Amino acid sequence: MKNIRNFCIIAHIDHGKSTLADRLLDATGSVTSREKQAQLLDSMDLERERGITIKSHAIQMDYMYKGEQYVLNLIDTPGHVDFSYEVSRSIAACEGALLIVDAAQSIQAQTISNLYLALENDLEIIPVLNKVDLPSANVEEVTDDIVDLLGCKPEEVIPASAKTGLGIEEILSAIIERIPPPTGVLDEPLQALIFDSVYNPFRGVETYFRVLNGEIKKGQHIKFMATGKSYYADEVGTLKLKQLPKDSIKAGDVGYLITGIKEAKEVKVGDTITDSKNPTVNMIEGFEDVKPMVFAGIYPVDTEDYEELRNSMEKLQLNDASLIFIPESSAALGFGFRCGFLGMLHLEIIQERLEREFDMTVITTVPNVSYHAFTNKEPDTPILVNNPSDLPEPSTLNRVEEPFIKATIITKSDFVGSVMSLCIEKRGEITNQTYLTTERVELTFDMPLAEIVFDFYDRLKTVSKGYASFDYSPIGMRQSHLVKVDVLLNGNVVDALSALLHRDNAYDIGKKICEKLRELIPRQQFDIPIQAAIGAKIIARETVKALRKDVTAKCYGGDISRKRKLLEKQKKGKKRMRQVGNVEIPQEAFMAVLKLND
């Protein structure tokens, strides 16, 4: 066990984690030249297309150091704030972390938040200064920033370049020298932590685990403690580039397990695996439950696909434990699910993965956050409002509380003004402003979560020309003045487009929604009024004009009353049509409501 090292790589987006992982795999000879490709561990199409890591990826490497053979278990993690739950799970399976900082971009918001995650878990941190070969790299200045942040010595920071391979040997020796070997007792009953799982259509659920005590053997009768169910370990092994079956996996090591489980519900991330005959008495303290930030309805386009969508969501939840869903129904869209996501990018990725991996075309409703409503009858008992239609009647309503977050934004000093005005427009209050260096400022705001859900991230990147990094953490509920804005099409409320908005913004946003829908809803044979309303009061209206035949074409000359008679007849027909008419809402309309400022 003393020759095992478990470590993960943490960094902000685009600081070169996946490329560095490639170099480490090359240096240890873990991949053949035929298998080599850039960002090797990003195996999903979506990851390769967007150039971001979405899933943590575990891989084992063998390395000779000073005449001894070492086993290095590497977990590459995502950098985006929406996937921080993946990072927290990877950290729980490790003893050390490589903290990578881009020499050109210096320390960003996500670097700091991931670092705190690692320090909470008592991980040994190895700072790596990446991209030192870039012409724009400020090696001395950024090294000083890292020293200030970590309180380490300047010589402990390893300068490296994942592109050219500089500093890779130093990183490998630092992993072996500085990261402690795993602690665990081989003679104790089996105790292993599940940190990830994937669904394989041929073999059932594959579970990835880290053994803390004891060992797990092929064919052993094992038990999952959270569900209390027992299985036989059909196959255990280590995670090289491909799975490598072994007879047993001992304490301190990371591996995979196949038990032939077909039901996605039976595997929970953070659960403890133990021996069913000689179980361990203490469960591993699992991960904190994930707190979804953004809620949206996901509905099948065809109501008959509801069960199929449920199966797809369960399989996806195995691979992405931060997805939470419960069934719900809507008058406009039929049966579907209310889903909780960690952010807008997460929502977009889930929708995309459902389409690609499971061939499920879905409709996503307008995302919102969950509020607490209090009635006059019971002013101390909160009613959870995940959906605008759950809001009690305005006459019985005492107050509404909405979730607030602490937003940390790190940007260049040139953009402080524009970032501040954006945050104040989004009802943010500045709580702190710190100059990290003469060029870089850290701004802290208290903001309503609902304001950052829609287009905040995109606009932040625009006003700062891409030089702002953003991280947030929840700070609880606060009272605010919210109203429910309904959208009516042809006089009927479309519940999927309703939204809870702050009273000050309701008129503007209601008007913008109506204008946007007017562009997107196809013209019919009759006029379609699009209205935004608060209760019974209409606050905005647009009309999609009817397609009309030129009925007066055959009248040339003659009395005007002949033309008028034909036009009146047409008008009556249109009015009758409008009473029975049904308006279909295209999928783009739901998504366009999110991007009102484009």
Side-chain angles (χ1 to χ4, degrees):
M1 203 195 303
K2 69 180 195 324
N3 285 11
I4 296 177
R5 299 287 182 275
N6 297 320
F7 68 100
C8 59
I9 303 183
I10 55 177
H12 189 76
I13 315 156
D14 268 353
H15 281 206
K17 295 177 297 299
S18 301
T19 315
L20 188 81
D22 290 353
R23 291 295 84 75
L24 292 173
L25 294 174
D26 290 349
T28 54
S30 305
V31 283
T32 60
S33 51
R34 208 177 106 195
E35 292 166 327
K36 256 187 218 171
Q37 56 174 345
Q39 280 85 37
L40 181 74
L41 294 181
D42 291 351
S43 50
M44 212 188 292
D45 303 346
L46 261 177
E47 292 180 313
R48 304 193 73 80
E49 279 169 29
R50 292 181 177 229
I52 55 175
T53 306
I54 294 169
K55 286 288 304 162
S56 310
H57 296 272
I59 190 162
Q60 192 176 75
M61 308 180 282
D62 298 317
Y63 186 59
M64 280 296 280
Y65 181 70
K66 293 185 179 169
E68 278 196 67
Q69 185 76 20
Y70 285 87
V71 172
L72 310 177
N73 287 312
L74 150 74
I75 303 180
D76 178 25
T77 65
H80 198 284
V81 61
D82 280 12
F83 304 112
S84 53
Y85 189 63
E86 286 284 326
V87 182
S88 71
R89 288 168 23 198
S90 311
I91 284 174
C94 297
E95 277 82 34
L98 294 182
L99 179 75
I100 296 176
V101 179
D102 185 330
Q105 296 182 50
S106 189
I107 291 162
Q108 304 281 334
Q110 208 46 35
T111 317
I112 297 173
S113 97
N114 283 342
L115 171 68
Y116 287 155
L117 266 179
L119 290 174
E120 276 169 25
N121 284 277
D122 297 332
L123 262 60
E124 179 64 40
I125 307 287
I126 299 174
V128 176
L129 186 60
N130 196 14
K131 306 193 187 180
V132 292
D133 59 321
L134 287 181
S136 57
N138 302 327
V139 178
E140 290 82 10
E141 198 182 307
V142 181
T143 304
D144 292 344
D145 290 353
I146 297 174
V147 169
D148 289 347
L149 180 68
L150 285 176
C152 61
K153 299 188 185 77
E155 53 272 16
E156 287 178 14
V157 180
I158 304 170
S161 163
K163 196 155 118 196
T164 60
L166 170 78
I168 299 298
E169 296 297 325
E170 289 83 347
I171 292 173
L172 284 164
S173 57
I175 289 167
I176 290 165
E177 299 282 340
R178 296 196 216 168
I179 294 178
T183 54
V185 187
L186 255 179
D187 308 335
E188 281 198 9
L190 169 66
Q191 187 189 30
L193 169 78
I194 299 176
F195 66 87
D196 203 0
S197 52
V198 311
Y199 187 80
N200 180 329
F202 305 107
R203 312 192 67 181
V205 179
E206 298 174 0
T207 311
Y208 298 161
F209 62 88
R210 150 92 198 266
V211 184
L212 299 187
N213 292 313
E215 67 173 315
I216 182 166
K217 297 191 182 76
K218 185 179 176 179
Q220 185 175 345
H221 197 205
I222 52 160
K223 178 176 161 192
F224 286 16
M225 291 183 83
T227 55
K229 299 201 171 177
S230 300
Y231 309 97
Y232 285 98
D234 296 342
E235 185 180 310
V236 293
T238 51
L239 295 152
K240 293 283 176 121
L241 194 55
K242 301 204 165 51
Q243 294 170 340
L244 197 68
K246 293 258 175 92
D247 288 334
S248 78
I249 303 227
K250 297 185 168 58
D253 214 344
V254 172
Y256 73 92
L257 161 75
I258 294 175
T259 50
I261 299 174
K262 288 284 189 282
E263 280 292 315
K265 290 194 283 284
E266 293 176 27
V267 180
K268 291 197 169 38
V269 167
D271 193 1
T272 308
I273 306 175
T274 187
D275 188 76
S276 66
K277 295 188 187 69
N278 179 18
T280 177
V281 277
N282 43 350
M283 271 182 86
I284 301 164
E285 285 303 312
F287 309 106
E288 76 283 2
D289 271 345
V290 56
K291 294 185 186 70
M293 294 287 186
V294 175
F295 294 86
I298 286 189
Y299 293 86
V301 173
D302 196 345
T303 324
E304 290 156 15
D305 299 338
Y306 174 70
E307 279 305 321
E308 207 175 313
L309 179 63
R310 182 200 291 272
N311 292 339
S312 307
M313 300 271 270
E314 280 175 0
K315 287 170 190 170
L316 196 53
Q317 193 177 32
L318 267 183
N319 196 233
D320 184 347
S322 47
L323 170 67
I324 288 171
F325 61 92
I326 52 166
E328 73 161 6
S329 62
S330 142
L333 300 169
F335 289 107
F337 295 96
R338 184 109 204 120
C339 306
F341 307 96
L342 296 179
M344 287 300 288
L345 179 70
H346 189 207
L347 160 70
E348 215 175 299
I349 296 291
I350 292 287
Q351 190 179 348
E352 191 88 7
R353 285 184 71 182
L354 279 170
E355 290 196 6
R356 290 187 183 207
E357 294 172 29
F358 303 100
D359 286 335
M360 293 299 308
T361 317
V362 292
I363 293 175
T364 315
T365 64
V366 180
N368 58 5
V369 298
S370 66
Y371 301 90
H372 285 171
F374 296 85
T375 55
N376 292 325
K377 221 183 232 173
E378 298 173 5
D380 301 326
T381 318
I383 300 166
L384 194 65
V385 179
N386 277 341
N387 203 336
S389 55
D390 302 341
L391 195 71
E393 281 296 308
S395 53
T396 62
L397 200 59
N398 179 320
R399 65 186 192 279
V400 180
E401 291 181 355
E402 64 175 330
F404 267 66
I405 55 156
K406 177 180 169 222
T408 309
I409 297 168
I410 296 180
T411 184
K412 281 191 163 181
S413 46
D414 316 356
F415 305 118
V416 170
S418 48
V419 169
M420 272 191 183
S421 55
L422 169 66
C423 292
I424 289 162
E425 179 198 326
K426 296 282 190 186
R427 297 191 287 140
E429 292 168 16
I430 186 156
T431 55
N432 196 359
Q433 178 177 358
T434 319
Y435 275 81
L436 302 171
T437 65
T438 50
E439 276 294 295
R440 293 172 59 254
V441 191
E442 181 180 29
L443 301 167
T444 315
F445 289 90
D446 285 356
M447 294 176 73
L449 179 62
E451 293 289 343
I452 68 154
V453 161
F454 293 142
D455 55 354
F456 178 77
Y457 199 64
D458 299 341
R459 286 186 60 199
L460 177 68
K461 287 288 184 214
T462 311
V463 298
S464 65
K465 300 193 175 150
Y467 279 109
S469 60
F470 170 65
D471 183 42
Y472 59 85
S473 54
I475 52 171
M477 310 293 280
R478 294 188 189 174
Q479 186 175 344
S480 68
H481 198 150
L482 298 168
V483 290
K484 179 181 166 204
V485 176
D486 287 318
V487 175
L488 292 86
L489 281 186
N490 204 7
N492 302 322
V493 175
V494 181
D495 56 357
L497 288 172
S498 299
L500 281 177
L501 302 170
H502 196 267
R503 177 158 287 241
D504 301 347
N505 304 344
Y507 285 83
D508 289 347
I509 293 180
K511 190 169 182 338
K512 280 182 182 164
I513 289 177
C514 291
E515 285 168 1
K516 204 81 175 183
L517 288 174
R518 192 190 70 192
E519 294 164 21
L520 289 163
I521 288 177
R523 290 171 70 185
Q524 307 278 353
Q525 294 285 337
F526 51 92
D527 279 5
I528 306 170
I530 302 168
Q531 295 159 311
I534 298 174
K537 184 181 177 189
I538 304 292
I539 57 171
R541 168 177 170 139
E542 295 285 334
T543 308
V544 178
K545 285 312 229 177
L547 290 167
R548 295 173 54 185
K549 185 178 165 193
D550 189 356
V551 287
T552 60
K554 61 178 185 281
C555 292
Y556 47 92
D559 197 314
I560 184 71
S561 58
R562 290 173 59 199
K563 284 186 179 174
R564 189 154 295 143
K565 182 177 150 199
L566 289 168
L567 287 168
E568 286 298 325
K569 191 174 166 193
Q570 183 187 35
K571 196 169 161 188
K572 274 186 193 148
K574 296 281 180 211
K575 194 174 172 187
R576 223 181 10 255
M577 220 184 250
R578 196 176 123 190
Q579 286 165 357
V580 296
N582 197 0
V583 185
E584 288 288 313
I585 307 169
Q587 163 70 6
E588 298 88 68
F590 291 107
M591 293 319 285
V593 174
L594 315 183
K595 301 190 176 76
L596 289 176
N597 284 1
D598 291 3

